[in-house]
Each structure stands twice: as C-alpha cells, then as structure tokens.
Amino acid sequence: QVQLVESGGGLVQPGGSLRLSCAASGSIFSINAMSWWREAPGKERELVARIRSGGSTDYADSVKGRFTMSRDNAKNSGYLQMNSLKPEDTAVYYCNANIRKTAAPNNYSYWGQGTQVTVSS
C-alpha cells in the first residue's frame, strides 16, 4: 500500500510564508509527476503546482512568482514553498502523486489527507 502524508500547514498573516511537505511511503518503484491542489470552501479543487519527474514545473496563474514546488526523489517527497501569502490562498491543500509500484509501466494516482492553510490577520 502507498500513503501520502502532508505537513506544514497552519495559520499565517498576509505576506507571510509557509512550506508544505508531502512524503510518500509504501510500495514505491518510482514517482512520476507530483502536484499540489487546493480546495477552498464553496469552490472546486484546483491545481496549484505540478512537478514532473525530470523537475519541470507548472503553476496556476494565481500563484506564479509566489509559490515554488520542488521534490527530493531520494526521499520520495515533494514540497511547496509559499511566499507572499494572501487571504485568498486560504484552503485545504492536497498532495497528489502518480506512482509506479513495480517495474511495469502502470501509474496509480494517490492523494494525501490534506493540510489546512489559513491566511488571516
């Protein structure tokens, strides 16, 4: 079985920073793309950032220049550095990873349990 565990959420003032972590564990052969999504009350879950196995990244327009996603393949982990946070960044943040559990080319999508980020003065 595979698990994704997020950490690093919390309450921060506008303009502040947080760093989210996502650690994958279990039966893992390799991890392809990892991504962060967020879901605010009354809104649909949206893609915030994605990092491919080779390290290239994509960001939502609303976070470009403020958020940076990275990964540590040796630790099966992904990170989201969030700077210049705004109240509209308040949401539950979820980690997603496409994982190969064996050498066979089959990817499985896994989600973490979510971590709350609240930006408020």
Side-chain angles (χ1 to χ4, degrees), residues 77-121:
S77 293
Y79 309 95
L80 185 68
Q81 178 66 42
M82 305 186 294
N83 298 329
S84 302
L85 282 161
K86 305 175 181 180
E88 51 263 42
D89 294 317
T90 296
V92 178
Y93 283 70
Y94 296 91
C95 176
N96 176 269
N98 290 325
I99 294 174
R100 287 173 64 183
K101 295 196 286 186
T102 69
N106 299 316
N107 285 296
Y108 299 88
S109 179
Y110 291 91
W111 291 90
Q113 80 287 354
T115 185
Q116 177 70 47
V117 171
T118 301
V119 185
S120 176
S121 55

Side-chain angles (χ1 to χ4, degrees), residues 1 4 6 8 28 30 38 51 54-55 57 66 79-80 84 99 101 108 115:
Q1 190 57 283
L4 297 184
E6 300 114 333
I28 298 171
S30 66
R38 67 186 180 188
I51 186 166
T57 52
R66 301 188 297 122
Y79 309 95
L80 185 68
S84 302
I99 294 174
K101 295 196 286 186
Y108 299 88
T115 185

Side-chain angles (χ1 to χ4, degrees), residues 34-101:
M34 298 184 76
S35 55
W36 287 95
W37 298 67
R38 67 186 180 188
E39 188 171 328
K43 295 187 177 181
E44 293 187 355
R45 191 173 296 190
E46 64 172 354
L47 177 64
V48 176
R50 176 190 291 120
I51 186 166
R52 298 174 182 80
S53 56
S56 62
T57 52
D58 297 309
Y59 298 94
D61 288 343
S62 59
V63 307
K64 281 181 182 176
R66 301 188 297 122
F67 290 11
T68 302
M69 186 169 185
S70 60
R71 62 189 291 168
D72 184 334
N73 292 330
K75 295 182 178 180
N76 287 334
S77 293
Y79 309 95
L80 185 68
Q81 178 66 42
M82 305 186 294
N83 298 329
S84 302
L85 282 161
K86 305 175 181 180
E88 51 263 42
D89 294 317
T90 296
V92 178
Y93 283 70
Y94 296 91
C95 176
N96 176 269
N98 290 325
I99 294 174
R100 287 173 64 183
K101 295 196 286 186

